[in-house]
Every structure is written in C-alpha cells, then in structure tokens.
C-alpha cells in the first residue's frame, strides 16, 4: 500500500502542471460574449489522481488506526473560518456550485499538505520529483520560445500558442515582430514563471553547491523564456533574503525582517487600494490593472461582505464607470484585493491572521523564502487564488514549511 501511495503521489507532483481539464459547469460562462473561465467549473485530470491517492491514504490510515496530521489548533480554526466564510458568502450570492468548487479546491490543498506532512515521500524524494517536473517544463517552454509556437501537445494540456493568436502573452520585438512567452503545459506564462520560482526556492536548500548552481542556471533560463517581470522582481528579492537568512540564522532577527516586509506589504497595498487614481502609467497593461483596482474598491464599498468566490467578473460590470468589452472581464490582478472582493473584509482578515500566526507561532526551522515569495507574488496577479496550479503551489509551500519545521 505504501509503495503504491508513493507512486501515485509522486506522479501527481510531476504532472500537476499539465492543464488537462474538462468543463463540467458553465452556467454563466458566456454571459458577456467571450468565454469566461473564472466562472466556469473545471475538473483537472491531475486532481483526479490526487483524490484517488487521498482515498487510498485514508483507507491506509483507517486500517492502521492513525490520525490525520493535524497540528496547531488555532491555525486550523482560522483556516476553517476562512473556508466556511467563502462557502457561505458564495451560496448567499446565488451560486452553490461555485461554492462547492471552492471547498473542493481547499480540500485538495489540505490533502497535499497532509500527504507531505505524513511523509508519504521523504522531502528529498519529493524535491527530486518536483525538480524533474520543473526540468521538463523548462525544456518544453524553451521549445515553444524557440519555435515561437506551441508544440501541438494539446492532449497534455498545452495551450494553442502563436505570435498572431489572440490572448497569448507575447513580447514586442524591435523589428516589429512578436515573440511568444513560454507556457510549458500551464495556462499562462506567468503561472509557469511562478511555478519555476517556487519550486526553485523550495528545492534550493536540499541541493549541494555544484548541483545548486546548475539548477539555479536552469531556473533562470526558464524564467527568461516565461518573461514575467513580476516574478523576476520577486525572485531577485527572494535570493537576497535566502542568502541573508543563511548568514544570519537567529530566528528573532529573521522574524524582525519578515515583520518589516509584512508591514511594508500591508501599507503599500492599502495605499494602492485607496489612492490608485493618483498613479499614472503609459503602459496599457498597467492602466488596465489600475482600472481593475478601481472596480475592486467600488465593489467592496457596494458589498463589503463579498460578492462570492469566482463572482468578481460577474459583478464588475456594476462597479465599472464605463461599459466593458467582453475581453475586459478579468479578475483584479491582485490576489488580496480579489479575496477582499469575493470573500469580504472578514475573509481577508481570516487569511491575514492565518499567515501572521503561521510565521510567528509555527515558524521554527523552515526556509521562509518560498512562503514569502508567494506573499509578495500575490499582489501582482490573481492565479494563486483562482487557478488549480496556483492553489497547488500554495499547498506545496505550506506542506514543506510544516515538514522543515519538524525536521529538527
């Protein structure tokens, strides 16, 4: 049984980036003309593998009369309140199916956490599988970047990519041509970049010096092909923190640094939320993001208790000062503002308290850089909240955080 569990869980860690999915719920998917994936219910092939792994693991735990690895009751209470709030707010706003999907994805995140905490795979074996998966994505992304189109692997979840395909992330070259950004098997280049950054930071402490240099080089190349400025910025900061914490290992010092960074993050987000109209950018993508923040602020004022998980794009037309085109119905590119809009002020507070307690009470020996990287990536996009791969990354970081804290 244990060997089978190891194979299944290892397979999941390797293939979860494969965006092989099936649409099972689309009640409001075409409400504004274009297909809207954020209000659609998808089932992903890797999550079916994860649920099968959980079923076998639960049977094994029941037969062995072992308990599920629960620790730190206060943290789990906060997590439960966050989940219950999101579910109830979504049901209250008329979509119990999306509420059920929300609970399912949170549960799947818990399953990943439990399987890691229960050491189904040792940390080194899990890291090996994750690094091999990342290597595949780097090679895949390089081939897309080099050929400037997808490889035709749609059966493995690859998106249809090309320099003239609408909606594909591209770079404008000096000669007037367009270069696609690498996607690998993910749904967007930004998610590939975040995946490489997080897996790289999780794995760094488990690598020897020579192999670490090789892997860092590979990850940097992968990030170059994905070309995410937000991830690059967080990555540079993460490397500085990683080596700062290697040099100064005293936990009080490290907690002081995290407290300062957390305070800066809160103040910066609060300022942007309230003063976004004062910020001026010529870049069209930044103008779009600022407009989304304005819509997010208006939605919060209209419904401070939240419009429901996955309902942001359905509600945003009521908060926009102008008529939006079909392709403009997108979640606000800030995870914290999106959680605020969808789960309300109370939902954001539950999450903030959970993160604060996690750092202050549960952090003992773990490498905090992957978790900090997620926290600083969150205000720069929305995929950590509303994509399957993003939620898996969050669960992996939490799982390794728990594993490393118990290692000594």
């Amino acid at each position: 049984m244990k060997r089978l569990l190891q194979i299944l869980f290892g397979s999941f860690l390797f293939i979860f980036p494969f965006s092989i999915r099936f649409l099972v719920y689309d009640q409001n998917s075409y409400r504004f003309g274009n297909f809207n994936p954020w209000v659609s219910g998808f089932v992903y092939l890797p999550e079916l593998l994860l649920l099968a792994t959980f079923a076998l693991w639960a049977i094994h735990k029941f037969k062995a009369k072992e308990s599920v690895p629960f620790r730190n009751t206060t943290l789990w209470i906060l997590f439960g309140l966050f989940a219950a709030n999101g579910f109830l707010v979504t049901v209250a706003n008329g979509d119990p199916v999306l509420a059920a999907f929300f609970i399912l994805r949170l549960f799947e995140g818990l399953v990943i956490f439990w399987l890691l905490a229960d050491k189904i795979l040792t940390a080194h074996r899990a890291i090996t599988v994750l690094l091999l998966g990342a290597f595949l994505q780097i090679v895949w992304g390089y081939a897309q970047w080099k050929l400037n189109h997808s490889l035709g692997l749609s059966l493995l979840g690859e998106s249809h990519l090309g320099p003239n395909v609408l909606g594909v992330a591209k770079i404008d070259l000096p000669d007037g041509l367009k270069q696609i950004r690498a996607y690998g098997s993910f749904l967007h280049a930004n998610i590939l970049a975040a995946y490489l950054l997080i897996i790289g930071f999780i794995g760094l402490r488990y690598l020897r010096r020579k192999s670490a240099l090789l892997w860092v080089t590979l990850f940097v190349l992968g990030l170059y092909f994905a070309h995410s400025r937000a991830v690059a910025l967080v990555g540079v900061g993460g490397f500085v923190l990683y080596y700062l914490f290697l040099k100064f290992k005293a936990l009080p010092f490290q907690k002081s640094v995290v407290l300062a960074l957390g305070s800066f993050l809160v103040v910066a987000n609060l300022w942007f939320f309230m003063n976004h109209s004062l910020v001026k950018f010529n870049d069209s993508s930044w103008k779009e993001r600022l407009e989304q923040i304005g819509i997010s602020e208006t939605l919060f004022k209209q419904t401070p208790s939240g419009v429901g998980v996955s309902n942001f794009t359905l509600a945003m037309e009521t908060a926009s000062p102008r008529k939006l085109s079909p392709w403009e119905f997108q979640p606000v590119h800030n995870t914290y503002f999106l959680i605020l809009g969808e789960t309300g002020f109370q939902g954001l507070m539950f999450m903030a308290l959970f993160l604060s307690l996690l750092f202050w009470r549960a952090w003992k020996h773990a490498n905090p850089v992957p978790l900090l990287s997620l926290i600083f990536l969150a205000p720069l996009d929305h995929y950590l909240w509303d994509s399957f791969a993003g939620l898996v990354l969050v669960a992996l970081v939490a799982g390794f955080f728990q594993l490393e804290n118990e290692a000594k």
Side-chain angles (χ1 to χ4, degrees):
M1 175 77 81
K2 186 174 182 180
R3 181 58 180 163
L4 179 58
L5 281 172
Q6 290 174 338
I7 293 171
L8 290 176
F9 188 44
S11 299
F12 169 77
L13 294 179
F14 185 80
I15 71 165
F16 83 82
F18 292 17
S19 303
I20 308 169
R21 57 182 185 167
F22 312 97
L23 182 64
V24 296
Y25 177 69
D26 62 352
Q27 179 174 316
N28 295 303
S29 298
Y30 293 94
R31 178 167 156 184
F32 303 112
N34 286 12
F35 177 71
N36 185 344
W38 294 286
V39 295
S40 306
F42 289 96
V43 172
Y44 289 76
L45 186 61
E47 73 179 311
L48 296 179
L49 176 60
L50 177 65
L51 292 173
T53 306
F54 168 73
L56 286 177
W57 177 74
I59 293 171
H60 171 72
K61 300 294 283 186
F62 177 77
K63 288 183 176 180
K65 297 182 179 180
E66 297 175 358
S67 61
V68 173
F70 275 86
R71 295 173 179 87
N72 203 317
T73 304
T74 306
L75 282 173
W76 290 117
I77 290 173
L78 286 171
F79 183 85
L81 289 171
F82 177 74
N85 172 74
F87 178 82
L88 293 173
V89 168
T90 309
V91 170
N93 281 276
D95 206 326
V97 176
L98 289 180
F101 267 101
F102 169 67
I103 294 299
L104 173 64
R105 293 285 147 74
L106 285 185
F107 174 72
E108 289 167 350
L110 275 179
V111 169
I112 295 168
F113 176 87
W114 287 336
L115 293 175
L116 285 171
D118 206 35
K119 299 182 178 65
I120 297 300
L121 291 173
T122 64
H124 283 89
R125 285 188 178 182
I127 289 297
T128 299
V129 174
L130 289 169
L131 289 177
L132 289 174
F135 179 73
L136 173 63
Q137 295 298 325
I138 291 169
V139 173
W140 197 335
Y142 168 73
Q144 294 168 340
W145 179 84
K146 184 68 176 178
L147 297 172
N148 208 22
H149 58 71
S150 50
L151 307 186
L153 300 175
S154 58
L155 290 177
L156 297 180
E158 183 186 45
S159 299
H160 177 54
L161 309 174
N164 299 314
V165 178
L166 293 177
V168 171
K170 314 175 190 73
I171 305 166
D172 293 321
L173 300 176
D175 57 5
L177 299 177
K178 294 183 181 294
Q179 168 68 57
I180 68 165
R181 294 163 54 191
Y183 277 53
S185 63
F186 288 93
L187 296 174
H188 198 279
N190 289 342
I191 309 179
L192 169 62
Y195 164 80
L196 294 177
L197 183 72
I198 297 304
I199 299 304
F201 277 142
I202 290 175
L204 198 54
R205 73 180 296 173
Y206 297 92
L207 298 171
R208 296 177 181 176
R209 181 171 296 182
K210 290 184 178 179
S211 59
L213 180 60
L214 172 63
W215 278 105
V216 167
T217 303
L218 288 172
F219 279 114
V220 169
L221 287 173
L223 291 173
Y224 173 77
F225 302 138
H227 201 81
S228 170
R229 290 173 290 182
V231 172
L233 178 64
V234 173
V236 171
F239 268 110
V240 171
L241 276 179
Y242 183 81
Y243 287 104
L244 178 67
F245 287 172
L246 275 182
K247 186 173 180 61
F248 302 99
K249 296 182 179 181
L251 196 57
F253 169 78
Q254 294 186 3
K255 284 189 173 182
S256 297
V257 173
V258 171
L259 179 61
L261 290 172
S263 300
F264 167 78
L265 186 67
V266 170
V267 171
N269 275 277
L270 186 60
W271 188 91
F272 255 93
F273 191 70
M274 299 177 64
N275 299 283
H276 54 86
S277 60
L278 302 177
V279 182
K280 305 297 179 183
F281 283 103
N282 293 324
D283 183 88
S284 59
S285 64
W286 272 104
K287 287 182 179 178
E288 182 180 275
R289 293 187 180 205
L290 289 171
E291 183 180 30
Q292 291 169 353
I293 293 174
I295 291 173
S296 179
E297 181 189 13
T298 304
L299 272 182
F300 172 66
K301 291 178 178 177
Q302 290 176 348
T303 315
S305 61
V307 298
V309 177
S310 299
N311 282 339
F312 183 92
T313 54
L314 294 180
M316 64 189 299
E317 66 175 342
T318 65
S320 175
R322 64 179 181 87
K323 182 175 175 59
L324 297 171
S325 299
W327 58 86
E328 292 179 307
F329 287 91
Q330 298 183 38
V332 58
H333 282 56
N334 183 307
T335 300
Y336 302 123
F337 298 165
L338 185 56
I339 292 174
L340 176 68
E342 292 190 346
T343 70
F345 179 77
Q346 69 282 0
L348 186 63
M349 288 301 100
F350 289 142
M351 187 198 69
L353 287 171
F354 178 85
L355 289 174
S356 299
L357 277 177
L358 186 66
F359 267 121
W360 219 252
R361 292 178 56 180
W363 176 20
K364 298 175 183 176
H365 310 293
N367 169 21
V369 173
L371 184 52
L372 283 171
S373 297
L374 285 181
I375 289 171
F376 275 85
L377 279 175
L380 303 173
D381 218 312
H382 55 80
Y383 51 77
L384 294 176
W385 173 249
D386 58 11
S387 76
F388 173 68
L391 290 172
V392 172
L393 287 179
V394 173
L396 285 175
V397 168
F400 274 96
F401 195 80
Q402 176 69 25
L403 267 179
E404 292 168 0
N405 275 322
E406 294 187 342
K408 294 184 180 181

